[in-house]
Amino acid sequence: MPRYTAHAIQFSYHEKYKRRARALDLRALPGDGADFFDIACEAWACVVDRDEQKHRSFSTLPVQRQGRVALFKGRVGHYGTPAQVRDVTTGEIKLEHDGELANEPEVRLVLAVPAIDPCLSAYMVVGEVREGSLKGPYIRALREIWNAKYHEFTLKIDNVVESEAWLATAQMAQMTVTYRDQQADLADHGVPEVAGTVQAVLKPKKGVFFPRKAYELVKKNRKLAGRLVGRSETDEQPDSVSVKMVGQDGKEKTFAIDNERTPMARWVFSDWGAPALTDEQHIRKSLDQVQDLMHREGLEWDTRWERS
């Protein structure tokens, strides 16, 4: 199975052109008194099916609503490059195409709008695969609806960053380094062959953590992670690196260290080769992250909000 990561975004809104404008209640939007939860679900049906400039394709399924939580399921892919489709087990070429076909893995987004009064923030956990996510086309659709209905108010959408306070004291307990499409050692036959994915897991002794400096260095240079698991200095950069961090509160969080090394909180939901989470597991894991985000604001997620 592919690797599924996720990050979060936070929604709020305020009056335009007003200095130091305060955040307003998302459950009672101006004018019509509508609920942001309904507007956000409406936008999902307006996601376009392709981005012709970037040759990206999108498809969506109907929203699944449960209380104040909504599951958005869809698919994302790329097209525009002539290619062939091959059965990797038998090597048989199944078909060739001119670039109008797209491989589209499934992605999921989870929306959570707390039932508090006033509700000043809503959250979305965005699932990602190597092909991307549906965040971009969804946000464009949401902004189009928002600007048409509430043009005197600004919808603020922020990427969520991991709590600096939590990371500052967290310790690295495990590192997973993955190389895909690796060749088997067939030197005797002189024919290189793809063996598949090679994954190395590095752990210190039980009860011991990696030095903090190791985490900082790997974050700056992913190739160093390969050196730590025995790769030579001339080897290619790993396809992915993830680290398990343990905070002073005892919580464990697994982060992907990606090419951009963005400050966003980016969590690993399931790694290469591991089964993908079920919808129920995905929602639960997403709401656990929402719970953490609300804690930062002194709030609490109520599981009763997950019921119809």
Side-chain angles (χ1 to χ4, degrees):
M1 297 296 290
R3 180 188 228 211
Y4 290 91
T5 62
H7 68 274
I9 53 179
Q10 186 170 355
F11 303 97
S12 62
Y13 83 100
H14 58 79
E15 287 184 64
K16 274 185 180 177
Y17 315 121
K18 187 173 182 180
R19 194 176 180 186
R20 296 179 183 173
R22 61 184 179 87
L24 300 173
D25 190 356
L26 286 162
R27 297 182 65 199
L29 297 180
D32 56 6
D35 189 333
F36 176 77
F37 186 69
D38 296 324
I39 299 296
C41 290
E42 177 187 342
W44 183 247
C46 301
V47 171
V48 298
D49 67 349
R50 72 182 71 182
D51 180 335
E52 294 187 353
Q53 184 176 5
K54 296 182 179 178
H55 287 178
R56 300 185 68 210
S57 60
F58 316 110
S59 61
T60 59
L61 293 173
V63 177
Q64 299 178 36
R65 299 171 58 145
Q66 191 77 24
R68 303 294 295 173
V69 178
L71 174 64
F72 301 160
K73 293 178 69 174
R75 294 181 177 274
V76 58
H78 293 270
Y79 67 94
T81 302
Q84 65 183 23
V85 177
R86 179 171 61 89
D87 185 326
V88 296
T89 304
T90 65
E92 180 185 355
I93 305 300
K94 293 295 186 180
L95 65 90
E96 296 185 8
H97 63 85
D98 58 5
E100 294 307 305
L101 299 182
N103 181 54
E104 295 184 331
E106 183 180 76
V107 289
R108 292 171 285 197
L109 302 84
V110 175
L111 172 71
V113 184
I116 53 179
D117 186 20
C119 176
L120 304 182
S121 293
Y123 310 88
M124 175 173 276
V125 176
V126 180
E128 301 174 78
V129 290
R130 185 174 57 169
E131 287 79 2
S133 76
L134 283 167
K135 181 176 80 170
Y138 171 72
I139 294 301
R140 285 192 289 274
L142 177 60
R143 284 201 182 280
E144 190 170 332
I145 290 175
W146 181 272
N147 292 336
K149 292 186 175 185
Y150 311 109
H151 57 274
E152 294 182 357
F153 296 83
T154 297
L155 178 63
K156 190 178 178 186
I157 304 174
D158 293 318
N159 290 320
V160 173
V161 299
E162 187 51 57
S163 167
E164 291 183 6
W166 192 91
L167 273 178
T169 57
Q171 300 286 333
M172 185 166 68
Q174 178 178 306
M175 180 190 305
T176 303
V177 185
T178 304
Y179 291 86
R180 291 183 291 106
D181 302 330
Q182 297 299 288
Q183 292 184 352
D185 185 4
L186 298 176
D188 291 341
H189 304 280
V191 182
E193 208 171 273
V194 173
T197 297
V198 175
Q199 192 172 75
V201 178
L202 193 61
K203 296 180 182 179
K205 292 180 180 179
K206 189 173 181 180
V208 178
F209 296 107
F210 288 99
R212 178 73 187 189
K213 189 174 181 181
Y215 167 68
E216 299 294 344
L217 289 173
V218 168
K219 216 166 61 158
K220 292 178 181 177
N221 181 7
R222 290 195 308 155
K223 201 170 183 180
L224 178 61
R227 297 283 304 281
L228 292 174
V229 296
R231 292 280 178 150
S232 74
E233 190 173 354
T234 57
D235 275 0
E236 61 193 9
Q237 182 169 264
D239 289 290
S240 67
V241 178
S242 61
V243 293
K244 181 186 289 184
M245 307 292 288
V246 180
Q248 286 189 331
D249 54 5
K251 287 187 178 180
E252 294 184 353
K253 299 183 182 183
T254 302
F255 297 101
I257 297 179
D258 57 19
N259 288 322
E260 295 82 14
R261 298 191 299 279
T262 70
M264 286 193 301
R266 192 184 299 275
W267 311 291
V268 177
F269 273 25
S270 58
D271 219 331
W272 297 104
L277 301 181
T278 65
D279 286 347
E280 291 75 16
Q281 291 169 332
H282 186 92
I283 292 171
R284 183 75 270 140
K285 195 153 189 171
S286 296
L287 292 178
D288 287 345
Q289 302 300 341
V290 170
Q291 171 78 294
D292 283 349
L293 298 179
M294 292 184 68
H295 272 165
R296 298 187 199 178
E297 301 174 31
L299 302 172
E300 188 84 18
W301 175 260
D302 193 329
T303 55
R304 291 177 294 181
W305 300 337
E306 303 167 24
R307 305 171 199 153
S308 297

